Amino acid sequence: MIKRIILTILAIHLSITGALCVCPVSSVTPVKAIEAHAKTKFEPIKDYIYYGYTPTGFVISIKDELMFDECGELNDCGKMLLKVMAEIMKFSGRKWFILCHTTEGKTQVDRISRTSLRAGAITNYLTDIETCLINQIFPIGFGSIMPTKHKTEGHKALNNRVDFIIEEYTLNVN
């Protein structure tokens, strides 16, 4: 009987206690503040990064060549970029989608395999080395299914890229 009372009290206590389900911060950082922070941190390499908005959120696109070597392994520059991204992610209080895209490979199966491995490598680095929470990161390899329509200032479209996306369902229709 005492066991049931204690369990009931514990269940009531847990149900009314606020929880931080995504990451250990007390508030969600506004998207504009995340964008400003990212632009400040990535200023020296701004020619390799595109910032934009999708109909459902904010995206940071990074050229593939900046993160991976010719064998598809994270290079030193990619690790430094992920260190900065981890800092932004940890204190954002948001979930992040990591979407990898490429036009390299003979078939769509090759491209999806390549991008899935790269998305996994990024996730492993962020969780194992930079201690990001796994429930905050959602990696997906898209192959060449989702080409980009945006162009950076004077540069060709980023078809071989990694997108870091925060979804914010305000349906931005800019």
Side-chain angles (χ1 to χ4, degrees):
M1 183 65 163
I2 292 177
K3 189 176 182 181
R4 286 186 184 178
I5 293 171
I6 292 172
L7 286 175
T8 304
I9 291 170
L10 181 62
I12 292 169
H13 175 70
L14 290 176
S15 68
I16 61 173
T17 303
L20 300 172
C21 62
V22 175
C23 50
V25 296
S26 59
S27 64
V28 175
T29 305
V31 174
K32 292 290 186 187
I34 293 170
E35 180 180 7
H37 186 73
K39 284 182 176 180
T40 301
K41 289 288 190 175
F42 293 132
E43 175 63 27
I45 55 170
K46 66 182 175 188
D47 292 339
Y48 295 91
I49 297 180
Y50 171 82
Y51 306 94
Y53 286 87
T54 68
T56 59
F58 173 66
V59 62
I60 300 171
S61 293
I62 301 175
K63 284 187 177 183
D64 217 23
E65 65 194 50
L66 204 57
M67 298 190 70
F68 295 97
D69 63 19
E70 56 278 343
C71 297
E73 299 292 322
L74 280 172
N75 58 29
D76 291 337
C77 181
K79 291 175 182 177
M80 289 186 324
L81 285 169
L82 290 178
K83 184 175 184 74
V84 174
M85 283 303 303
E87 176 190 324
I88 295 168
M89 290 172 153
K90 285 179 189 179
F91 298 104
S92 69
R94 295 179 175 271
K95 294 181 181 180
W96 289 77
F97 288 87
I98 299 171
L99 311 179
C100 293
H101 311 274
T102 192
T103 54
E104 296 172 7
K106 293 182 181 179
T107 66
Q108 183 60 359
V109 172
D110 291 339
R111 292 185 289 270
I112 289 175
S113 175
R114 179 185 307 251
T115 55
S116 295
L117 289 171
R118 289 180 179 188
I122 291 169
T123 301
N124 289 341
Y125 188 85
L126 288 172
T127 56
D128 296 348
I129 306 300
E130 297 298 332
T131 65
C132 289
L133 298 178
I134 190 66
N135 66 337
Q136 189 178 8
I137 301 169
F138 298 89
I140 303 171
F142 274 107
S144 61
I145 294 172
M146 294 178 61
T148 184
K149 290 183 181 177
H150 61 259
K151 304 266 190 237
T152 58
E153 299 143 15
H155 297 92
K156 66 180 185 172
L158 301 176
N159 287 323
N160 299 324
R161 69 190 189 279
V162 178
D163 293 337
F164 294 88
I165 298 176
I166 303 168
E167 288 198 335
E168 181 174 59
Y169 293 100
T170 55
L171 293 178
N172 301 313
V173 287
N174 300 346

